[in-house]
Amino acid sequence: QVQLVESGGGLVQAGGSLRLSCAASGSIFSINVMAWYRQAPGKQRELVAAIASGGGTNYADSVKGRFTISRDNAKNTVYLQMDSLKPEDTAVYYCNADIRITRSGAWYNYWGQGTQVTVSS
């Protein structure tokens, strides 16, 4: 059983910073892309940032220059450093990962339970 567990959300004033963490646990052989998504009330879930196993990254235009995604492959953990936060960054943030549990098995996509980030003006 594979689980993704997020931590680090909370309430912060505009201009502040937060760091989210997501640890994958369970029977894991390898992890490909790890990503952060977010969903604000009344809006669709959107990709915030993604990072490949080799370190290549991709960001939504709305967070470029303010957010940084990174990962620790030894710990099966992905991070999202969020700086210069804005009220429009308020959302539930979800961790996502493509995981294979055996060497020759299929890749499966997993989601975390989400962590609330609230930015006050």
Side-chain angles (χ1 to χ4, degrees), residues 8-98:
L11 173 64
V12 64
Q13 287 188 332
S17 298
L18 282 174
R19 188 190 194 212
L20 304 183
S21 300
C22 171
S25 63
S27 180
I28 296 171
F29 177 77
S30 62
I31 303 176
N32 191 5
V33 176
M34 302 186 83
W36 289 96
Y37 286 75
R38 67 186 180 187
Q39 187 166 19
K43 294 188 177 181
Q44 288 189 327
R45 190 172 298 189
E46 63 174 359
L47 176 67
V48 176
I51 184 167
S53 56
T57 59
N58 182 42
Y59 294 92
D61 288 343
S62 59
V63 306
K64 282 181 181 176
R66 300 188 297 120
F67 291 9
T68 303
I69 190 170
S70 61
R71 64 191 284 173
D72 184 333
N73 290 331
K75 295 182 179 179
N76 290 335
T77 299
V78 62
Y79 306 95
L80 186 68
Q81 177 66 41
M82 304 185 293
D83 299 318
S84 302
L85 282 160
K86 304 175 181 179
E88 51 264 44
D89 294 318
T90 295
V92 177
Y93 283 69
Y94 296 91
C95 177
N96 179 272
D98 292 326

Side-chain angles (χ1 to χ4, degrees), residues 4-7 92-95 111-115:
L4 300 181
V5 179
E6 300 110 333
S7 60
V92 177
Y93 283 69
Y94 296 91
C95 177
W111 290 92
Q113 81 285 356
T115 185

